[in-house]
Amino acid sequence: MAEFIESLREHLRREVSDIHGINIDEVDHTLQRVLALVAGGAASRFAWLSMLVSDHLVPVAAVGLDPTGVTAADAPEWEVVRTGKPIRVHHLSELDTEAARSMVQGPHRMCSLAAYPVFTVFQQSTIGVLVVAHDRPRTYPRMQQRVIHDGVRVIEDVLSLRTESIRDPLTGCYNRRHFDRQMQNEWRRANRDHLPLSCAIIDVDHFKRFNDTAGHAEGDQVLRQIGQALASRTRRAGDLVCRYGGEEFGVILPNTPGDAAVALMDELRRAVQDMEIEHPALEGAPVSISVGVATATSFEEVLRNDAEYYMEQADQALYRAKDGGRNRVFAAWEQGAEEQSASA
């Protein structure tokens, strides 16, 4: 059993590294020290940090206890993830959930807790939760709240230092190096779990003409706005948006079939169009994007091809979208079919 638990813990830490680009082993000592200081400052026996991995919360560091596995679906931490706001519970018996009862009746006999969201630097989305807990009732007065809040800020700084090398400094999206590595990771995961995998390449239409007319500074601002819009509309922690090169963005959508991928990409296309960024070289028409999508839909396809094959398919689909008039989504499997209409 001990070997199984250790294997599970190692697997989950690798998942955190794959999703967030953070090697937890490299920051483990720092996180432990921060959690110890937070627990002491909040007069609590326990503290732990959990991070989002796809649809799970995974404990990655702790003091006072040794958590394993993933956080229960009805645990108090999920309220923090859903709202992006901290919660404080004077007595866990107030919560009528199985997870709360397990905390009260478990080996640590927890009674009270406070949980605070941990955010990304660029997207300001919740990537984890810092929790302090005690085996006696705690009200967590303002001074203790400040200690926890300061601990969150330190953890965010520690994690951001580890993620700076995988971010594009202009758009805040992931960079091409991380995209290529993550594409291989998701390919292996799709192979292992027999799940579909979709990818897309997005191109800003007539971007050279925009730069030639408005200047590179204005062009950079447009790329920044579009990158933020794309990243903010991907729904799951496993979805990834990167600046693929120049005015191109790449998207990875794990466990996403083709029709769902096309629907999401068309939603992104419409979102960019609805931003109504005036294109100075197109008589005031809004800036738009074209998208090519490719999907490995079956286990057999995953075995027969590789990640590079589907990126090439997405790239070819992108060129067909541009040849078809731009401001549209084209799927690689639509050989000879008409493009997805881009009519607003």
Side-chain angles (χ1 to χ4, degrees), residues 16-335:
V16 170
S17 177
D18 288 348
I19 296 298
H20 298 289
I22 299 166
N23 187 334
I24 293 298
D25 292 334
E26 294 179 358
V27 295
D28 185 68
H29 178 69
T30 301
L31 293 178
Q32 294 285 346
R33 284 181 57 84
V34 173
L35 291 175
L37 290 171
V38 171
S44 298
R45 288 188 57 188
F46 316 107
W48 64 91
L49 170 68
S50 296
M51 295 189 67
L52 278 168
V53 177
S54 295
D55 298 322
H56 303 291
L57 264 177
V58 179
V60 296
V63 295
L65 71 164
D66 189 21
T68 59
V70 298
T71 303
D74 61 346
E77 293 99 302
W78 281 109
E79 180 66 19
V80 176
V81 174
R82 284 189 290 270
T83 65
K85 298 178 181 180
I87 62 170
R88 291 175 291 278
V89 182
H90 176 67
H91 204 298
L92 284 164
S93 61
E94 301 169 2
L95 304 180
D96 187 21
T97 65
E98 185 61 35
R101 285 189 288 272
S102 296
M103 298 173 78
V104 172
Q105 300 169 7
H108 301 296
R109 300 290 179 181
M110 295 183 188
C111 179
S112 57
L113 67 75
Y116 280 63
V118 176
F119 292 103
T120 60
V121 173
F122 292 99
Q123 299 179 25
Q124 288 300 297
S125 59
T126 305
I127 60 170
V129 181
L130 171 62
V131 185
V132 297
H134 199 60
D135 56 4
R136 286 181 289 177
R138 284 280 184 270
T139 59
Y140 298 102
R142 187 176 300 275
M143 185 62 70
Q144 293 181 5
Q145 294 177 35
R146 184 176 302 172
V147 169
I148 302 170
H149 184 271
D150 289 345
V152 169
R153 298 279 80 78
V154 172
I155 289 173
E156 289 174 345
D157 287 344
V158 170
L159 299 181
S160 69
L161 288 173
R162 292 296 173 177
T163 59
E164 282 180 357
S165 64
I166 63 173
R167 294 283 187 175
D168 171 54
L170 175 63
T171 64
C173 297
Y174 290 105
N175 60 25
R176 175 68 179 272
R177 179 191 301 176
H178 183 65
F179 181 92
D180 290 341
R181 182 176 64 181
Q182 189 61 15
M183 187 66 184
Q184 294 296 331
N185 290 335
E186 293 297 346
W187 191 259
R188 287 192 295 269
R189 186 175 292 111
N191 192 329
R192 181 190 68 207
D193 298 335
H194 300 191
L195 296 172
L197 174 65
S198 293
C199 60
I201 299 179
I202 298 171
D203 183 77
V204 182
D205 295 329
H206 300 295
F207 188 70
K208 183 179 185 303
R209 294 177 64 185
F210 187 103
N211 274 344
D212 291 344
T213 305
H216 288 276
E218 289 295 322
D220 286 349
Q221 180 63 22
V222 169
L223 291 179
R224 186 179 296 110
Q225 290 177 264
I226 291 177
Q228 292 173 353
L230 298 177
S232 67
R233 284 170 172 81
T234 49
R235 298 182 177 88
R236 301 172 304 172
D239 297 343
L240 183 145
V241 177
C242 91
R243 187 180 180 192
Y244 199 66
E247 69 272 22
E248 288 188 336
F249 294 85
V251 182
I252 302 174
L253 301 170
N255 193 18
T256 304
D259 56 349
V262 169
L264 176 58
M265 291 303 101
D266 198 56
E267 179 183 321
L268 299 184
R269 181 195 64 77
R270 290 177 181 274
V272 171
Q273 181 175 269
D274 291 346
M275 291 166 66
E276 297 184 343
I277 303 171
E278 182 176 329
H279 197 303
L282 299 179
E283 299 181 352
V287 171
S288 61
I289 59 174
S290 298
V291 189
V293 181
T295 301
T297 59
S298 68
F299 178 55
E300 289 74 17
E301 287 188 6
V302 172
L303 289 178
R304 187 168 60 247
N305 302 302
D306 56 18
E308 288 76 13
Y309 170 82
Y310 284 95
M311 289 305 299
E312 292 173 3
Q313 291 284 298
D315 194 47
Q316 292 174 18
L318 170 63
Y319 277 101
R320 292 202 292 276
K322 293 166 69 175
D323 289 342
R326 294 183 168 85
N327 189 22
R328 62 195 62 218
V329 178
F330 196 99
W333 58 88
E334 293 179 310
Q335 299 290 347

